[in-house]
Amino acid sequence: MGFGTSLDMARPSGFGVRHWQAILLFVGMMINYFQRVDISAAIVPMTQSTAGAPSYNWNVSEKSLILSSFFWGYVVSQVPAGLLAKRFGAKIVLGTATAVGGVLSFFHPMAAASGWESVCVLRILTGLVQGTVYPCVHTLLAKWVPRTERGFLTTGIYSGAQFGTALILVTSGFIFESSLGWPGLFHLSGGLSLAWALLFFWQAANEPATARRITKTEQEYIESLTGSNSSSQSMPVPWIAIFKSPAFYGLLAGHCGFAWGFYTLLTQMPTYMNKVLHLDVKSNAFLSSLPYLAMGVLCLVVSPISDVLTNRGFISITTARKLFNSIGQWGPMACLIGLGYMTADQKTWAILLLTLAVGTNAGCSCGYLINHIDLSPNFAGPMMGVTNGIAGVTSIVAPLVVGAILTEEEDPNQWRLVFFITGAIYLVCNTLFVIFGKATVQFWNEPTSMSSTIALRNNFENDSQTIAPTTVKDNRF
């Protein structure tokens, strides 16, 4: 299929193999977020006396260490995971890691009985295997998602994180009050992780060329519009060029801002609702899930809007990335400022602001989150490993900062400071993304010779104003 032909002519109709791969990854994101979020939901009943389940007298600092320890392992495995996915294929790395994480989930109740230190060790190990998720998924997206569908399919897949978070939080309240108790949450995460890993090994493929039952039309369509070289597994990562790129640092700032805000709320929201808003365990679980359900739904709303705006040439892809990332970080910033002045008597407003603060994060799914693929389809996985690893450091620091501030968990004034700090980080990081961010394929994506990505760029406007084929005078790079 030539690059000079119309994109619409090459686009296969109906449900394709790329859509099935997207569904597999969507469910995989849900399952992996079960492993990640279960401790945030369970930490409340684990430290309260409930019938039929053990409880532990852990103080605020110990709970903060438990919540942050996941990211100690998470940070370490990011770059190796991206390199492993590039070298051996993302399918085997992601499937194995999810299965191992599932096994680790089963051991959490036993670790808790041994002490909070043992839980920290398990969370570190869980973080190590979870560190493979985003680099591997990004590697697969660079191979499977055509440029014309990048906003919707990529955002749809990653929205599994929000739906997974919402699902585990909303069901956790019922699990906690059942005969299973809070240990049942970890058993559920473990069982579902193992089941998904088996399905993924059976049905997933690293790229269209190795997929089952894919038509030649769909394969050519995908390969012509991804910009990812089929020989990229053997290409050396241009680390020096990447670390000299201003666009990379803009992307890094956007990623760090999102990570600080998202994980601060993810790890602390159940505690805030319990201690400040005085909600019981079941109400806490359900209401804690609402923001992530809202974010998941909004992800599916903003992504087609982003695709329409760019595919029809209304705005450039670079402008779209900055616009939606600003919605996803400055919107929550405004909500958190208002949340800082809420009290227990204003439960409804507080819950509304929390829901909006997390829900509007959805804009980032069409912002920094897919910018790695914009900049370098061939090295999106390793780049995600670097930015997610560095952003993971903020995820370690955030719960520790909260633990240092909250000497009294029931004090709204201390929570106000937590929210204001988070809002300030959103402000600074997104400003850097707006200044330095780009969404054009960088020269270091093809370090040796002109291949699929160069051909793709010669067929599109360099400023990414539209993804429609351009005339000769517009073929400048």
Side-chain angles (χ1 to χ4, degrees):
M1 189 66 62
F3 278 99
T5 59
S6 168
L7 298 179
D8 290 334
M9 185 183 81
R11 184 169 186 166
S13 59
F15 185 86
V17 174
R18 67 189 186 282
H19 300 121
W20 174 234
Q21 298 296 313
I23 291 172
L24 283 174
L25 290 173
F26 169 82
V27 176
M29 289 299 298
M30 289 183 64
I31 300 298
N32 277 285
Y33 263 73
F34 288 176
Q35 296 180 18
R36 187 178 305 207
V37 177
D38 49 17
I39 192 67
S40 297
I43 197 74
V44 174
M46 289 172 78
T47 53
Q48 293 179 348
S49 296
T50 55
S55 62
Y56 309 100
N57 188 26
W58 297 331
N59 61 37
V60 175
S61 296
E62 290 165 350
K63 288 190 288 186
S64 295
L65 285 170
I66 290 172
L67 292 172
S68 69
S69 58
F70 169 91
F71 298 101
W72 305 349
Y74 189 72
V75 168
V76 172
S77 60
Q78 291 291 321
V79 174
L83 296 176
L84 286 172
K86 181 175 177 294
R87 177 67 181 85
F88 299 106
K91 173 183 173 179
I92 186 68
V93 178
L94 179 58
T96 302
T98 303
V100 172
V103 173
L104 291 173
S105 293
F106 285 109
F107 288 98
H108 276 64
M110 287 179 278
S114 300
W116 67 269
E117 297 91 345
S118 298
V119 179
C120 284
V121 172
L122 267 189
R123 295 310 295 173
I124 292 171
L125 294 175
T126 302
L128 279 171
V129 296
Q130 281 284 302
T132 65
V133 173
Y134 278 93
C136 286
V137 173
H138 247 49
T139 299
L140 291 169
L141 291 175
K143 296 289 187 182
W144 275 101
V145 178
R147 183 184 177 111
T148 48
E149 303 173 28
R150 187 171 291 168
F152 181 70
L153 285 183
T154 301
T155 302
I157 289 167
Y158 279 128
S159 70
Q162 284 70 57
F163 284 113
T165 301
L167 183 59
I168 201 73
L169 290 175
V170 75
T171 57
S172 64
F174 298 98
I175 294 173
F176 296 155
E177 294 192 347
S178 73
S179 59
L180 297 174
W182 60 260
L185 191 65
F186 295 103
H187 298 154
L188 176 67
S189 295
L192 290 175
S193 297
L194 292 174
W196 179 84
L198 291 174
L199 177 63
F200 189 68
F201 283 132
W202 176 36
Q203 290 289 308
N206 283 316
E207 58 188 349
T210 61
R212 303 178 184 184
R213 298 184 296 277
I214 191 170
T215 65
K216 185 176 181 181
T217 300
E218 184 181 15
Q219 180 179 340
E220 289 179 344
Y221 168 70
I222 295 170
E223 291 176 345
S224 68
L225 289 173
T226 56
S228 182
N229 194 313
S230 60
S231 63
S232 62
Q233 282 184 287
S234 61
M235 294 167 60
V237 181
W239 291 118
I240 295 177
I242 290 174
F243 286 120
K244 286 183 177 180
S245 171
F248 169 77
Y249 289 104
L251 165 60
L252 177 61
H255 199 154
C256 287
F258 174 86
W260 182 288
F262 184 81
Y263 288 111
T264 294
L265 293 178
L266 179 64
T267 57
Q268 302 301 326
M269 192 184 305
T271 301
Y272 172 79
M273 288 189 169
N274 178 248
K275 299 296 184 180
V276 177
L277 301 184
H278 305 305
L279 297 171
D280 59 46
V281 171
K282 183 178 284 188
S283 298
N284 189 348
F286 174 72
L287 293 173
S288 292
S289 71
L290 283 181
Y292 301 99
L293 180 60
M295 184 177 176
V297 172
L298 287 175
C299 281
L300 302 180
V301 172
V302 299
S303 56
I305 294 174
S306 175
D307 279 348
V308 167
L309 291 175
T310 54
N311 289 354
R312 297 187 180 181
F314 294 125
I315 58 177
S316 71
I317 296 179
T318 297
T319 300
R321 299 291 181 258
K322 294 178 180 181
L323 170 64
F324 285 99
N325 209 73
S326 297
I327 293 171
Q329 295 199 19
W330 287 346
M333 175 191 69
C335 293
L336 290 175
I337 291 173
L339 186 62
Y341 292 98
M342 296 295 105
T343 64
D345 296 329
Q346 300 167 305
K347 287 184 178 68
T348 302
W349 284 105
I351 293 168
L352 176 62
L353 287 172
L354 274 171
T355 302
L356 288 174
V358 177
T360 52
N361 269 155
C364 293
S365 63
C366 292
Y368 88 86
L369 186 57
I370 53 177
N371 195 222
H372 308 75
I373 306 173
D374 295 326
L375 298 179
S376 178
N378 283 328
F379 303 108
M383 283 177 64
M384 172 57 88
V386 173
T387 64
N388 209 27
I390 296 174
V393 174
T394 67
S395 304
I396 295 173
V397 174
L400 298 178
V401 170
V402 173
I405 293 172
L406 295 178
T407 57
E408 295 291 337
E409 291 181 319
E410 296 83 3
D411 187 352
N413 293 323
Q414 293 184 4
W415 282 98
R416 182 183 305 160
L417 180 58
V418 170
F419 296 143
F420 282 8
I421 290 173
T422 304
I425 290 173
Y426 272 141
L427 174 64
V428 172
C429 289
N430 187 64
T431 298
L432 292 173
F433 182 76
V434 169
I435 294 172
F436 296 108
K438 291 184 179 180
T440 50
V441 177
Q442 301 300 291
F443 72 91
W444 36 264
N445 183 60
E446 296 281 354
T448 54
S449 62
M450 180 175 180
S451 65
S452 62
T453 303
I454 297 295
L456 179 64
R457 288 184 305 191
N458 283 341
N459 213 35
F460 296 110
E461 289 186 348
N462 181 50
D463 64 356
S464 299
Q465 287 183 345
T466 176
I467 66 165
T470 61
T471 60
V472 174
K473 68 178 181 179
D474 288 327
N475 288 342
R476 54 196 186 278
F477 182 76

